[in-house]
Amino acid sequence: MDGKSLSFGAVGSISGIKNPVLVANKLMCEAQKGKLSAGRIPPCFLVGDGAYKWAMDHGIPPCSPDVMATKFSLSAYRRNKRKLELAEKVETDLVDLKKFRRSSENENDSGSLDTVGAVVIDREGNVAAAVSSGGLAMKHPGRVGQAALYGCGCWAENTGGQNPYSTAVSTSGCGEHLVRTIFARECALALQAEDAHQALLETMQNKFISSPFLVGEDCILGGVIVLRCCRCSGEPDSSPSTGALLVEFLWSHTTESMCVGYMSAQDGKAKTHISRLPPGAVAGQSLAIEGGVCRLGISAN
């Protein structure tokens, strides 16, 4: 999603493409060119074979499925497949099934949570966001997670109108939880408040962990990275279009941990950080929140 034009592009259930986010970006850019022949509205979201054919028609190179399957992913697939087969065998025994589910949840490793999100800002203060995910392990064929859904996976919107801040948001976690709470959009709306840290904290608690749309869920897993910026005020010789940018980068999650990286266009390598829940906190019921602030001059990237 591009914060300046508010354009959006997404693909889902697509195979044979190494970087599906490139197809989503191309889809977004093509839609900005205007209507198709006979006045047709250009698509913003394609799935399955239609998405693959569109990618081929627009110069996105295909790749062999063998390239995408690592030894680690194949091992995780076989392990999860055995769990699923065992669950189906004991389906009639509710006691054993509940014990198995608890065991499976405890054994679930972070290897199956492969979402990659990005939030960016350029020297003019324009923001953008992206998110890409392979989805949950053992997902049903045809499932589309939050990553591709409007307002759920990512959001980007420049300042303007009643919005004093430009915001970019990217989410990760259990897709169904993030879809049912339209979480990326909720975070972006909340970040128009004066205190970004407090706004994100309250949104994670009230709009996610305690959301009425997730009543009955005892383990609500999600994470979010957000970027918020505005022009610094009160500086001599500065105008709304040329003043330095005050940028806030925050992240929060209910998972046990989340990896975060950040860099400027002038850096050769990103700085990384592993964010973890506080000691004693329960994953899916508690949250961690961190972040920082920086000031970008007019010549910054």
Side-chain angles (χ1 to χ4, degrees):
M1 186 171 183
D2 172 41
K4 183 177 182 180
S5 66
L6 302 184
S7 297
F8 173 85
V11 293
S13 294
I14 185 172
S15 299
I17 301 292
K18 184 177 182 180
N19 301 113
V21 72
L22 298 180
V23 188
N25 181 66
K26 184 73 172 179
L27 195 64
M28 181 187 73
C29 294
E30 287 296 312
Q32 293 177 342
K33 295 179 180 179
K35 293 184 178 180
L36 305 177
S37 59
R40 292 174 297 149
I41 302 296
C44 66
F45 185 12
L46 295 175
V47 299
D49 291 341
Y52 179 82
K53 185 177 185 304
W54 191 95
M56 296 298 98
D57 291 342
H58 288 80
I60 305 295
C63 73
S64 168
D66 295 339
V67 175
M68 305 297 289
T70 64
K71 292 182 179 179
F72 179 84
S73 64
L74 288 172
S75 176
Y77 169 78
R78 296 188 184 103
R79 182 172 64 252
N80 286 318
K81 189 171 185 290
R82 287 195 296 269
K83 290 181 182 179
L84 181 60
E85 291 170 346
L86 177 58
E88 291 173 344
K89 289 180 181 179
V90 300
E91 197 171 39
T92 55
D93 190 332
L94 294 178
V95 174
D96 287 350
L97 181 58
K98 289 179 180 178
K99 290 180 179 178
F100 172 77
R101 282 177 174 169
R102 293 194 195 101
S103 175
S104 296
E105 289 170 358
N106 292 335
E107 293 172 4
N108 186 30
D109 55 62
S110 60
S112 61
L113 304 177
D114 62 350
T115 302
V116 177
V119 287
V120 297
I121 181 173
D122 68 12
R123 69 178 68 192
E124 297 177 353
N126 299 309
V127 295
V131 58
S132 183
S133 175
L136 297 174
M138 307 308 291
K139 58 188 176 293
H140 193 283
R143 171 191 180 267
V144 174
Q146 104 286 350
L149 296 182
Y150 188 72
C152 303
C154 68
W155 191 266
E157 188 171 359
N158 279 11
T159 182
Q162 296 182 346
N163 293 341
Y165 300 99
S166 294
T167 56
V169 179
S170 188
T171 69
S172 174
C174 177
E176 279 65 26
H177 294 168
L178 296 160
V179 169
R180 285 154 64 184
T181 53
I182 319 177
F183 198 58
R185 175 66 167 145
E186 287 285 1
C187 288
L189 287 172
L191 288 169
Q192 295 303 324
E194 183 175 351
D195 188 331
H197 186 280
Q198 184 64 27
L200 183 59
L201 175 64
E202 293 178 357
T203 303
M204 286 290 293
Q205 185 62 58
N206 301 329
K207 300 291 186 177
F208 194 58
I209 296 176
S210 302
S211 170
F213 298 102
L214 299 178
V215 171
E217 299 284 353
D218 56 0
C219 187
I220 300 173
L221 297 174
V224 61
I225 55 174
V226 304
L227 184 152
R228 186 177 88 161
C229 72
C230 66
R231 296 287 176 185
C232 298
S233 60
E235 293 188 351
D237 302 323
S238 68
S239 68
S241 62
T242 62
L245 292 168
L246 183 66
V247 180
E248 297 172 85
F249 177 48
L250 302 172
W251 57 88
S252 183
H253 57 95
T254 64
T255 52
E256 291 185 2
S257 63
M258 186 170 77
C259 182
V260 179
Y262 52 94
M263 65 185 297
S264 77
Q266 297 171 335
D267 294 330
K269 184 178 180 180
K271 299 178 178 64
T272 59
H273 171 69
I274 301 294
S275 177
R276 302 186 186 279
L277 288 178
V282 179
Q285 300 176 11
S286 307
L287 67 90
I289 182 169
E290 299 180 66
V293 181
C294 68
R295 184 174 174 274
L296 301 181
I298 191 61
S299 61
N301 290 317

